[in-house]
Amino acid sequence: MTFPEVDLVIAFRATKKTSLSKSQIRADSRKAEQQYSRLIDTLTYAGLKAVGRRGESLGHLLVFVSCPQNHVNNLIKRERHSDFLSGLPTTPVAASDDIPTLSSADRLRLVHAFVTSMPADGGLGIAPGSSEWDLVESIMALHDREFNEAWIRNWTPRHIASVQLDKIREQFGDSVALYFAFLSSYTKALIIPALLGITFYFFGTPYSPTYSTLVFVWSVIFVEWWRVRERILSLRFGTRGSFRVEKRRAEYIPGFSWWKRELRMVASLPVLLLFAGILVALLTGIFVFEAFVTQLYTGPGHQFISFSPTILFVALVPRFLAIYQYLAKVLTRWENHAHFSTHTASLTLKTFALSALVAYLGLALSAFVYVPFGEGVMQLVQVWLFQETTNGHLKGTTNSTTTDGFTEEKVAGPTGGFWDMDTTNARLKLNPGRLRDQMFAYTVTNQIINTFVEVGLPFILRRIAAFRDAKKAGMTPGSPGEKNGVKKRVVFEDEKEKGGMEEREFLDGVRAEAALPEYELFGDYSEMVTQFGYVAMWSTIWPLAPVMALLNNFLELRSDAFKMTVHNRRPIPARTDTIGPWLDTLTFLTWLSALTNSSLVYLFCPRSQSQCSTTPSGYMSQLDKVHQHLFSASGVRAPDSGADQNVGATRELLMTALLIALAASHGYMILRVIIRHIVEMLVWKGSEEVIVRERDERSVKEKFLAGVTGDEEAKTSIQSPLIEDRVEENGKRMVPNEEGADFWDNDEGLEEIMRVSKEV
């Protein structure tokens, strides 16, 4: 049996998953029966074919929706006319023109927009989350299994140089194609810092000003180049300016003033700052515990105490972020954005702000607190915890030692107890390689874990879920053919009688896809943008970080494609001409890279030498004065430096760092203006896409002047159901006799809802 083409599948939940009383279940069933009948009637009277089938559990329905070709043709005409009037690079379809052939993604996008957009925009308003359709869980599209298998099987490393964007766009839409274009471009751009990193790691010096400057310039060039590149791609895709014709969200409340929305967005800022402050305090506390306290503890199990900060991080930070993400979604809905693009941008900025803190704060604390001031702070902690000072000397039995030219007085080495009270151990326990270890963890270990979470973990979770379901249904685990549950056999027997084994296999595949999570671009963009931040801002610490990022991204292209086609539902195609808020985030990270790179070079590259030194005496030479001030504060005398001189050294260090940061910020702004102008002239001006766009616009204007597009059909739109697509006989909805029509005649929705009441 060959089934007709299914465009969309609507998941309809007749009952809640939580246990309710019998009276509540019957009331929910009556409500579900009314809403389901209204759903089928709305779809059918609008010219679509719709039929319901049983889902994966009792009360769960899958409504299959198909749009006849003549209806699709009218949707094409309406969109082309709207695009033309809104200034998009397209031409309207006249009466004498042939209807253009649609790709799979464009067809799904048109049908989905017609079903979910608000009636004011010419749609049916059937959207998950709307109060009118509260039993509609989701609307999804089915995967093209043949395309997915061929795409994954034929994807080789050569696709890095030439990603098949046209095929991706035809199958998954513009937004997904634009992501893979960004990922491919970013991966190829990483070749430059990777080569620089290898060169400076093996043949250069640590914290090289030359390497830091080149990586910073590379980051600015890439961001400005991508800014132009996405504009060229939007011309090629025909989506330039698509925000002008974007449909409104179903949750949008009309008549909402723009200034009210802006005030609500401003009102969300204190909440963001509050959670950011709490997160900074939490991460700083974990950092201090791991970096300082674990160095002083010498009691039982001290070799295992280093794992406790990781346990605290895993136990507290994800939960805190989950609470914040839920609140961010509530606040974004409260802002009442009219369109998905602005709604998504607002939510993205809120969410990524805290994710970036988690990603980069540990490195910032290590680079600007632990390594420069660690030994002094550790001595302060030791003194505050265990001893008091009198006139600048430690109480108790002391002896004097000379280290690096100044004298320290210390407690006469207690060897027992749970804590190390010997202040001279601060310098010995300080780990100058901590920054490199952190960079290795972020750019190697974390990326391996993320790949496993994306590709391998979903298989394990599905196996666990299948085992639980089999056990709950009374089946022997690992023996799918042994079914002791009568309900499951009845459902399959009905399907076998009406559609045969082929229909049963088809429905089993749809149920499996319905159980998958929806695909979201946020996670993939967030991973790549965070990685860009590590390369641009922190690779001065470990120049091999770009190499690790490049190797990871060779796998990322394929793993993202695998994840999208195997572990997630098919993305609903959407038109877009930009990567949205992620471009602003990249721009912000390039500005931060100017500050971090200049600060790292200033702190760790001695100005007394033309090259950075790897020796301990030269490595921290510019911070010794500040260390002496901290030692003096902790009760360790530094007779060569008075208190005023120590305070002055600290003030000088901080003021110089501030001036360098301001200079780097202004240098970034000047460099960005110059690079943007050069990229515009080299890449945008004279590009093939721009020339074709200008030629097409001129041709359309010439036709308009000639009166070619003045027919009345350009003024028509689909505002009413297509009556010719609906045939009624004896009060029943009928569809044209075609192959697969039996599938659309067999509706199980009302029967399944009635079964809910009978099962009580």
Side-chain angles (χ1 to χ4, degrees), residues 585-723:
T585 305
L586 289 172
T587 304
F588 179 73
L589 291 178
T590 56
W591 173 73
L592 277 183
S593 70
L595 306 184
T596 57
N597 280 287
S598 59
S599 300
L600 290 171
V601 171
Y602 168 70
L603 288 175
F604 303 127
C605 183
R607 272 85 65 198
S608 59
Q609 305 174 20
S610 59
Q611 300 290 336
C612 292
S613 173
T614 58
T615 61
S617 60
Y619 187 74
M620 303 293 288
S621 61
Q622 299 302 321
L623 300 172
D624 283 341
K625 295 180 181 179
V626 180
H627 292 172
Q628 291 177 7
H629 168 58
L630 292 172
F631 297 157
S632 177
S634 65
V636 179
R637 292 191 305 175
D640 296 335
S641 300
D644 295 337
Q645 184 179 354
N646 293 328
V647 174
T650 305
R651 185 184 298 110
E652 178 185 357
L653 180 75
L654 296 177
M655 291 301 297
T656 306
L658 178 60
L659 292 176
I660 290 176
L662 290 175
S665 178
H666 286 76
Y668 160 76
M669 290 186 287
I670 296 173
L671 179 65
R672 187 182 66 173
V673 171
I674 296 174
I675 291 177
R676 179 173 297 184
H677 176 72
I678 295 175
V679 171
E680 287 277 348
M681 299 302 296
L682 293 178
V683 182
W684 177 257
K685 299 293 184 181
S687 64
E688 181 181 354
E689 288 78 8
V690 174
I691 294 174
V692 172
R693 169 70 185 275
E694 292 175 350
R695 185 174 62 244
D696 291 344
E697 286 183 346
R698 182 177 181 85
S699 176
V700 170
K701 292 176 181 178
E702 290 175 351
K703 289 182 179 180
F704 177 79
L705 293 176
V708 175
T709 58
D711 61 324
E712 290 297 324
E713 188 173 352
K715 302 177 182 179
T716 62
S717 61
I718 305 173
Q719 298 292 345
S720 59
L722 301 182
I723 306 299

Side-chain angles (χ1 to χ4, degrees), residues 273-289:
L273 295 177
L274 174 63
F275 274 81
I278 297 175
L279 181 62
V280 168
L282 177 63
L283 294 175
T284 303
I286 295 175
F287 176 87
V288 169
F289 176 73

Side-chain angles (χ1 to χ4, degrees), residues 13 44 83 199 335 411 475 618 730:
R13 176 68 62 179
T44 305
D83 291 351
T199 302
E335 292 168 1
V411 178
M475 296 182 289
N730 298 328

Side-chain angles (χ1 to χ4, degrees), residues 316-484:
L316 299 178
V317 175
R319 292 178 180 272
F320 180 83
L321 290 178
I323 295 173
Y324 172 75
Q325 289 172 359
Y326 172 78
L327 184 60
K329 292 179 180 179
V330 172
L331 290 173
T332 308
R333 286 196 298 267
W334 177 62
E335 292 168 1
N336 192 34
H337 292 273
H339 302 104
F340 282 102
S341 60
T342 57
H343 177 88
T344 303
S346 179
L347 181 60
T348 297
L349 292 176
K350 290 186 182 71
T351 307
F352 185 75
L354 264 67
S355 299
L357 282 177
V358 176
Y360 304 136
L361 185 61
L363 280 170
L365 290 173
S366 292
F368 305 127
V369 177
Y370 176 79
V371 175
F373 311 114
E375 47 190 286
V377 174
M378 285 179 66
Q379 291 198 13
L380 284 173
V381 172
Q382 288 172 305
V383 171
W384 291 340
L385 285 177
F386 311 119
Q387 296 290 333
E388 296 180 356
T389 61
T390 303
N391 298 324
H393 297 274
L394 293 173
K395 287 186 176 181
T397 304
T398 62
N399 54 39
S400 299
T401 60
T402 301
T403 305
D404 289 348
F406 58 90
T407 303
E408 298 176 352
E409 291 188 357
K410 63 179 182 178
V411 178
T415 57
F418 291 166
W419 302 95
D420 181 6
M421 296 183 290
D422 191 346
T423 58
T424 60
N425 283 340
R427 174 166 302 195
L428 298 176
K429 289 188 174 183
L430 183 67
N431 180 18
R434 176 185 177 86
L435 280 170
R436 292 190 297 273
D437 295 340
Q438 283 183 289
M439 281 297 296
F440 182 85
Y442 290 137
T443 58
V444 179
T445 307
N446 283 5
Q447 291 183 153
I448 294 175
I449 295 175
N450 289 337
T451 301
F452 170 75
V453 170
E454 290 181 353
V455 178
L457 185 60
F459 284 116
I460 299 176
L461 295 179
R462 282 206 293 271
R463 293 291 296 176
I464 295 175
F467 177 83
R468 290 177 177 176
D469 293 342
K471 189 175 181 180
K472 186 181 299 184
M475 296 182 289
T476 302
S479 303
E482 298 182 12
K483 300 182 180 69
N484 299 326

Side-chain angles (χ1 to χ4, degrees), residues 304-323:
F304 304 110
I305 199 67
S306 59
F307 294 103
S308 56
T310 303
I311 296 174
L312 287 175
F313 183 91
V314 173
L316 299 178
V317 175
R319 292 178 180 272
F320 180 83
L321 290 178
I323 295 173

